[in-house]
Amino acid sequence: MSRITRFGLLVGAWLAAAGAAMAQTSHVVRAGDTLERIARQYGVRTSALIAANDLERPDELPIGKRLIIPRPDEPIRKRYTVEEGDTLQGIARDHGLTADQLARLNRLDDPNKLKPGQILEIPLDATRRLPSPKYPLPENLRRELDQIPVRPGRWRYIVIHHSATDTGNAQTMDHYHRVRRRMENGLAYHFVIGNGRGMPDGQIAIGRRWRTQIKGGHLASDALNEIAIGICLVGNFEKSRPTPAQVRSLSALISYLMQRTRNSASAVRTHRQINTKPTICPGRHFPTRAILENLP
């Protein structure tokens, strides 16, 4: 074999390997893999990895599962299934798009007629714009939260709930849990976020459980309550969506808590995703994917 031929074969092999590396879009889970490790390996965000694979239990990665690896330099389109009561304006708002952009992307002949079960494509990079995970907490609230000592390793999960009521505030919930549910420590959650009906829209109330760093009462498991922070948004999201102010406050609070508790995006769950008993909380109109995709 001539030197030129050998050189040509080497170049061909190198190009083939490079092409294969560039084309790689999946990863097969091996023993010892974690989402954080896989995300670092491919240079993507953990939250993007969760969103791209629609992982409901990010802490459970079965060996042999094939994960889609989002390319950091390319937008990813996700599929959204239209539900009863959805509107194009509402879906677009939840994903950081205008209704016109969403209609053009999906080539909708009549944007005013959406059918339950209809599939819409939504670019993942668009959902990163609204709400921003870097939306700052009010300075006075952040200073107050900074004064509360948080032991490293104390909390492993951040869990999102809805109140399933149209109105309410931390005080009414505390009374219900203390008197009706006979909970010694009252309010089952660590935080409550208002919707403008009972407390200001987007206002974050700090519960006694967070101030004293004691376990919650929001999950059907004592073991999980011991390590899971509970955040409750006032509203019934089976009937309507959270307000934009609530979504911004929730994103800001989650980002802050992730930093304080040294947790990654895989720690953030909805009540439905983590509870040991079936539940619809936080409701079908809660924008779970838009929230998770915006986490740092």
Side-chain angles (χ1 to χ4, degrees):
M1 184 182 296
S2 68
R3 185 177 300 176
I4 294 176
T5 302
R6 286 198 302 272
F7 177 75
L9 289 174
L10 287 172
V11 170
W14 180 85
L15 289 173
M22 291 178 65
Q24 186 176 21
T25 58
S26 65
H27 174 92
V28 177
V29 176
R30 300 184 292 269
D33 272 349
T34 64
L35 278 178
E36 289 77 10
R37 183 178 299 174
I38 297 170
R40 285 197 301 270
Q41 178 180 343
Y42 292 95
V44 298
R45 298 184 308 161
T46 304
S47 52
L49 196 57
I50 293 172
N53 291 278
D54 201 17
L55 298 177
E56 290 197 350
R57 297 301 298 262
D59 56 334
E60 297 179 1
L61 286 181
I63 295 174
K65 180 178 179 62
R66 185 175 295 276
L67 297 178
I68 297 171
I69 305 299
R71 291 188 179 183
D73 56 344
E74 291 185 1
I76 303 169
R77 289 186 180 182
K78 292 193 62 65
R79 295 163 65 85
Y80 178 86
T81 303
V82 175
E83 299 177 345
E84 189 72 38
D86 274 344
T87 64
L88 192 70
Q89 291 77 10
I91 297 170
R93 182 192 64 221
D94 286 345
H95 293 87
L97 296 166
T98 67
D100 286 343
Q101 288 173 327
L102 191 57
R104 286 198 302 271
L105 178 65
N106 289 275
R107 300 178 181 177
L108 299 179
D109 294 330
D110 188 348
N112 296 315
K113 292 184 178 179
L114 294 181
K115 298 178 181 179
Q118 183 177 352
I119 303 297
L120 299 179
E121 286 194 344
I122 298 173
L124 181 61
D125 62 341
T127 67
R128 292 174 185 159
R129 293 197 294 269
L130 290 173
S132 170
K134 296 182 176 63
Y135 188 84
L137 289 171
E139 190 59 35
N140 60 338
L141 176 62
R142 186 182 183 95
R143 284 197 301 267
E144 188 174 358
L145 288 171
D146 286 344
Q147 296 302 310
I148 300 171
V150 179
R151 174 169 53 85
R154 170 68 179 88
W155 304 102
R156 288 183 52 196
Y157 297 105
I158 301 169
V159 184
I160 307 165
H161 303 254
H162 72 161
S163 67
T165 59
D166 295 331
T167 65
N169 55 51
Q171 290 73 31
T172 58
M173 291 184 199
D174 178 77
H175 181 269
Y176 172 77
H177 291 150
R178 191 179 300 276
V179 176
R180 297 285 299 277
R181 298 285 300 278
R182 299 186 183 281
M183 293 184 176
E184 179 184 359
N185 293 298
L187 181 66
Y189 311 105
H190 296 87
F191 298 92
V192 175
I193 301 178
N195 67 347
R197 304 180 66 184
M199 60 186 290
D201 190 11
Q203 183 184 72
I204 299 171
I206 308 171
R208 175 176 175 271
R209 293 179 189 263
W210 185 252
R211 293 185 186 279
T212 56
Q213 291 292 288
I214 61 176
K215 72 177 185 178
H218 52 101
L219 298 173
S221 163
D222 284 339
L224 285 174
N225 277 325
E226 191 65 49
I227 56 175
I229 302 166
I231 303 173
C232 182
L233 283 70
V234 178
N236 185 343
F237 305 142
E238 274 293 290
K239 299 193 308 184
S240 61
R241 298 173 185 272
T243 70
Q246 282 184 303
V247 173
R248 288 194 298 269
S249 292
L250 178 64
S251 295
L253 180 59
I254 289 176
S255 295
Y256 174 86
L257 291 174
M258 284 171 57
Q259 182 181 26
R260 283 299 307 274
T261 61
R262 302 180 186 179
N263 276 305
S264 69
S266 61
V268 182
R269 310 291 173 83
T270 63
H271 188 189
R272 179 172 53 232
Q273 289 174 334
I274 195 173
N275 205 44
T276 54
K277 295 181 179 179
T279 177
I280 59 174
C281 178
R284 58 179 173 160
H285 294 301
F286 181 78
T288 302
R289 289 184 178 178
I291 294 293
L292 295 181
E293 289 163 0
N294 275 283
L295 297 178

